[in-house]
């Protein structure tokens, strides 16, 4: 029996993937799992950063908004990591809590410290536009699990784009102080943008399954500079950072983030509440 | 088939923990029910336990209410004598507020939450349609924040009666 007239083609979620792996089904090839791991890490680490804002945002509505966005990202991370882990007999928690810095594959942009609110909004603008472009393409992946996660995530990421675009305008066109601080936020995050579009070793050789990051530069460049200009701000002219997140190289700030994210489960294995 | 209808009806009594006036059927979260009564039509008479699978879909990827809904479905069916029950969460096709029943929308409005408008099929619409205040009925309302008390709601304020209210956003 089904709800309304819509058929359910395939069943995909963290729990379903986990169960099907027990039955020996739907296990991704190692290369697909490594690609999914990078996508999961991007969403997980940005979710953790956004969670740090709760109770610290400039206004209550922003506590709620950044918390909601982080929760969406955490949902994406759970799906990607469960799928990736199924190739190696690992669960989402094994991957989130029991890997060390060099084993994470997230881009460095997502681990950048929150800074002030404008820094976070600049990071959100770059991240959301990137995710929007990525998931839009990933919905036609030849891997049905990746396509399903992307289709679900895309609807949510559209809200995240709106949220950051509105704030960039508001701060850029607001007071002299908000304008200066928004520009400083863009300048601080800009060096980490380039890495998003560099060739990704985990996407190589997965034609039709993975989205080559180089293809995402164009949609990013069609959106972000226009948003910045509309807000009366400047597109930064700052050299790119060294990058290397997809190869397990991270900035100093990342270790501190992991320490906070992992301490409880490592000190009290099996704790529940 | 009779069994599937019965299980569906039971599962359909489970409510959203965050919006307790809505059942998971009203929300469109309850997607499918499968019952395998065992070997042959007389399986039940021979004391075989029917194997039940209930499929639900999350409203948003990170929605924590899914766990509570799953537990509630299991306990509801357990009380009705179904012991072998699996609740599967499916992501595709992605949930949309267009699956919410008209009855559900009416219940939401009566509860003080402005219901979602139809999404349509033509992609994104940049124009914000007026959201009606569930208290005074005025269309003179303003979005305070696109993100509200749960993933599925936005925060509004009515500029006529001055009351803040939640809007279940079209998704």
């Amino acid at each position: 029996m089904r709800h309304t007239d819509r058929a359910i083609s395939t069943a995909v979620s963290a729990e379903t993937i986990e169960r099907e792996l027990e039955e020996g089904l739907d296990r991704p090839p190692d290369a697909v799992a490594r690609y999914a791991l990078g996508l999961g890490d991007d969403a997980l680490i940005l979710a953790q950063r956004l969670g740090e804002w709760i109770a610290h945002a400039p206004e209550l509505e922003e506590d709620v908004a950044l918390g909601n966005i982080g929760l969406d990202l955490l949902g994406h991370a759970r799906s990607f990591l469960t799928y990736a882990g199924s190739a190696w007999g690992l669960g989402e928690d094994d991957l989130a809590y029991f890997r060390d810095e060099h084993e994470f594959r997230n881009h460095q942009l997502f681990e950048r410290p929150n800074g002030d609110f404008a820094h976070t909004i600049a990071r959100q603008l770059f991240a959301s536009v990137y995710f929007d472009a990525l998931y839009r393409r990933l919905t036609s992946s030849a891997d049905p699990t990746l396509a399903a996660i992307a289709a679900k995530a895309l609807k949510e990421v559209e809200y995240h784009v709106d949220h950051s675009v509105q704030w960039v305008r508001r701060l850029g066109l607001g007071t002299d102080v908000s304008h200066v601080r928004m520009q400083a936020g863009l300048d601080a995050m800009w060096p980490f943008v380039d890495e998003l579009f560099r060739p990704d070793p985990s996407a190589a050789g997965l034609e039709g399954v993975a989205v080559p990051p180089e293809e995402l530069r164009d949609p990013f460049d069609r959106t972000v500079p226009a948003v910045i200009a509309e807000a009366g701000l400047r597109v930064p002219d700052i050299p790119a950072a060294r990058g290397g997140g997809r190869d397990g190289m991270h900035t100093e700030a990342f270790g501190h983030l992991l320490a906070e994210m992992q301490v409880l489960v490592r000190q009290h294995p099996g704790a529940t509440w | 088939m009779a069994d599937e209808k019965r299980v569906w009806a039971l599962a359909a009594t489970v409510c959203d923990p965050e919006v307790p006036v809505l059942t998971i059927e009203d929300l469109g979260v309850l997607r499918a029910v499968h019952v395998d009564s065992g070997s042959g039509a007389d399986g039940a008479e021979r004391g075989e336990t029917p194997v039940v699978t209930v499929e639900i879909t999350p409203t948003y990827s990170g929605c924590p209410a899914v766990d509570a809904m799953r537990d509630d479905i299991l306990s509801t069916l357990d009380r009705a004598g179904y012991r072998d029950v699996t609740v599967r969460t499916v992501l595709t096709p992605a949930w949309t507020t267009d699956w919410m029943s008209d009855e559900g929308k009416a219940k939401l409005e009566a509860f003080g939450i402005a219901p979602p408008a139809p999404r349509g099929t033509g992609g994104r619409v940049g124009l914000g349609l007026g959201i009606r205040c569930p208290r005074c009925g005025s269309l003179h309302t303003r979005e305070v924040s696109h993100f509200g008390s749960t993933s599925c709601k936005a925060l509004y304020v009515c500029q006529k009666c001055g009351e803040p209210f939640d809007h279940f956003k079209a998704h």
Side-chain angles (χ1 to χ4, degrees):
Chain A
M1 185 162 177
R2 296 194 176 283
H3 189 277
T4 68
D5 55 350
R6 291 186 192 240
I8 291 161
S9 50
T10 39
V12 199
S13 74
E15 293 77 9
T16 310
I17 295 163
E18 200 177 341
R19 190 166 311 110
E20 292 189 345
L21 109 92
E22 284 164 15
E23 297 161 3
L25 300 171
D26 220 14
R27 200 184 292 261
D30 184 67
V32 174
R34 277 186 284 120
Y35 178 64
L37 182 70
L39 303 186
D41 285 350
D42 284 345
L44 174 68
I45 298 308
L46 187 56
Q48 177 71 15
R49 277 290 182 227
L50 291 176
E52 292 171 13
W53 271 109
I54 295 172
H56 296 280
E59 55 187 30
L60 183 61
E61 287 77 9
E62 281 309 303
D63 269 4
V64 175
L66 295 172
N68 265 278
I69 294 170
L71 188 62
D72 288 340
L73 293 169
L74 189 62
H76 311 160
R78 291 188 59 193
S79 294
F80 283 126
L81 293 182
T82 301
Y83 188 47
S86 69
W88 309 309
L90 298 171
E92 51 180 328
D93 285 355
D94 297 321
L95 291 173
Y97 293 128
F98 295 99
R99 281 182 298 155
D100 292 329
E101 284 171 76
H102 65 282
E103 295 167 288
F104 277 82
R105 292 290 177 268
N106 56 286
H107 290 304
Q108 293 177 353
L109 174 67
F110 306 118
E111 72 200 37
R112 296 310 298 149
N114 285 336
D116 68 11
F117 184 67
H119 282 65
T120 288
I121 290 301
R123 191 185 60 204
Q124 274 311 107
L125 174 69
F126 302 151
S128 306
V129 171
Y130 165 77
F131 284 137
D132 185 285
L134 170 64
Y135 294 152
R136 210 166 279 284
R137 282 156 187 76
L138 197 60
T139 52
S140 31
S141 169
D143 185 292
T145 305
L146 292 181
I149 299 168
K152 183 85 189 155
L154 180 59
K155 293 176 75 171
E156 295 157 12
V157 165
E158 286 176 351
Y159 294 134
H160 307 173
V161 173
D162 284 346
H163 173 262
S164 57
V165 167
Q166 287 176 21
W167 271 113
V168 169
R169 281 192 198 134
R170 201 173 287 141
L171 296 175
L173 302 171
T175 65
D176 290 346
V177 172
S178 75
H179 178 89
V180 167
R181 290 174 71 173
M182 190 63 241
Q183 186 64 54
L186 294 172
D187 292 350
M189 296 297 168
W190 189 257
F192 299 92
V193 165
D194 194 60
E195 185 192 358
L196 302 174
F197 310 108
R198 290 185 197 157
D200 174 355
S202 74
L206 287 177
E207 203 178 329
V209 171
V211 178
E214 305 89 312
E215 288 179 12
L216 302 174
R217 180 93 226 191
D218 189 47
F220 186 91
D221 285 345
R222 270 185 278 121
T223 306
V224 167
V227 172
I228 293 176
E230 259 179 25
L233 298 157
R234 279 187 328 275
V235 176
D237 181 18
I238 300 172
R242 184 158 161 262
R246 282 283 191 263
D247 297 314
M249 285 186 280
H250 295 285
T251 58
E252 185 184 349
F254 187 52
H256 298 272
L257 177 150
L258 280 193
E260 187 168 277
M261 188 175 88
Q262 298 177 331
V263 63
L264 192 139
V265 73
R266 288 189 181 208
Q267 285 195 350
H268 305 277
T272 57
W273 62 89
Chain B
M1 202 60 205
D3 229 13
E4 291 195 343
K5 279 190 179 144
R6 179 158 181 263
V7 172
W8 179 285
L10 286 164
T13 62
V14 170
C15 290
D16 180 337
E18 299 285 354
V19 191
V21 291
L22 287 188
T23 70
I24 58 175
E25 183 185 41
D26 293 332
L27 268 170
V29 158
L30 179 60
R31 303 307 304 159
V33 167
H34 306 286
V35 179
D36 183 353
S37 316
S39 49
D42 56 346
E45 286 167 30
R46 285 187 275 127
E48 288 178 19
T49 314
V51 180
V52 177
T53 308
V54 178
E55 290 181 359
I56 58 175
T57 191
T59 53
Y60 284 72
S61 299
C63 181
V66 169
D67 293 330
M69 291 175 189
R70 179 186 303 108
D71 291 347
D72 289 349
I73 292 168
L74 289 173
S75 61
T76 300
L77 291 178
D78 186 72
R79 278 198 301 276
Y82 294 94
R83 303 278 182 253
D84 190 347
V85 179
T86 308
V87 179
R88 287 157 52 102
T89 316
V90 296
L91 281 194
T92 183
W95 177 83
T96 161
T97 42
D98 287 350
W99 293 349
M100 191 184 289
S101 64
D102 289 342
E103 195 192 344
K105 288 177 186 172
K107 285 196 239 172
L108 263 187
E109 187 153 27
F111 188 60
I113 299 175
R119 268 184 90 240
T121 50
R124 305 180 67 197
V125 179
L127 183 70
L129 297 174
I131 302 300
R132 190 169 58 180
C133 171
R135 288 184 179 77
C136 75
S138 170
L139 282 168
H140 189 40
T141 59
R142 182 172 68 83
E143 183 181 85
V144 176
S145 172
H146 202 70
F147 299 90
S149 54
T150 65
S151 302
C152 51
K153 287 178 280 188
L155 191 59
Y156 272 70
V157 65
C158 176
Q159 292 175 285
K160 184 152 177 271
C161 70
E163 285 289 328
F165 64 92
D166 276 335
H167 166 50
F168 204 112
K169 51 197 178 197
H171 183 75

